Amino acid sequence: MMVPEWGHILLQLNPIIAIIPATLAAYLTYLLGKRKSDREERFQEINYWKNVAEEERKRRTEAEDELAELRQVLQNEKAKTNKENGKHG
């Protein structure tokens, strides 16, 4: 009955045995890096849309302020016109 020489087999398989954990570690590092870059990409997209929304809010506020000024001018002109028509009428 022949008993395999485990020591000899392990020595021959040693390079392969060492590659397995290194490959697994490299793959896991790759996955973590990919997940991190995906997360960073999502954050960049969220920040982009937050900036777009902020710019639109500023534009809307400026437009509302300008509209309020124009309404005030129009109201003053109407009052002035009504006052003048009332004096001459």
Side-chain angles (χ1 to χ4, degrees), residues 9-27:
I9 293 172
L10 287 177
L11 283 176
Q12 287 183 346
L13 293 177
N14 193 28
I16 295 171
I17 293 171
I19 289 173
I20 293 170
T23 304
L24 181 61
Y27 180 69

Side-chain angles (χ1 to χ4, degrees), residues 2-89:
M2 293 190 60
V3 178
E5 295 182 27
W6 290 109
H8 181 67
I9 293 172
L10 287 177
L11 283 176
Q12 287 183 346
L13 293 177
N14 193 28
I16 295 171
I17 293 171
I19 289 173
I20 293 170
T23 304
L24 181 61
Y27 180 69
L28 292 176
T29 302
Y30 162 77
L31 287 180
L32 288 174
K34 184 176 177 186
R35 197 172 291 156
K36 184 178 179 186
S37 66
D38 288 347
R39 190 177 332 122
E40 289 173 354
E41 189 176 315
R42 284 194 302 268
F43 282 143
Q44 287 175 354
E45 189 172 344
I46 288 169
N47 285 334
Y48 169 78
W49 288 113
K50 281 169 67 176
N51 291 339
V52 167
E54 182 66 21
E55 289 297 319
E56 286 301 316
R57 187 191 65 76
K58 285 179 185 177
R59 277 191 222 127
R60 188 185 72 237
T61 302
E62 290 171 3
E64 287 172 352
D65 290 347
E66 187 177 342
L67 182 61
E69 286 179 28
L70 292 174
R71 282 186 179 146
Q72 187 63 44
V73 168
L74 181 61
Q75 191 175 29
N76 291 343
E77 289 297 318
K78 279 185 179 179
K80 185 178 173 184
T81 303
N82 288 340
K83 194 175 189 181
E84 289 175 0
N85 286 342
K87 285 183 180 177
H88 297 296

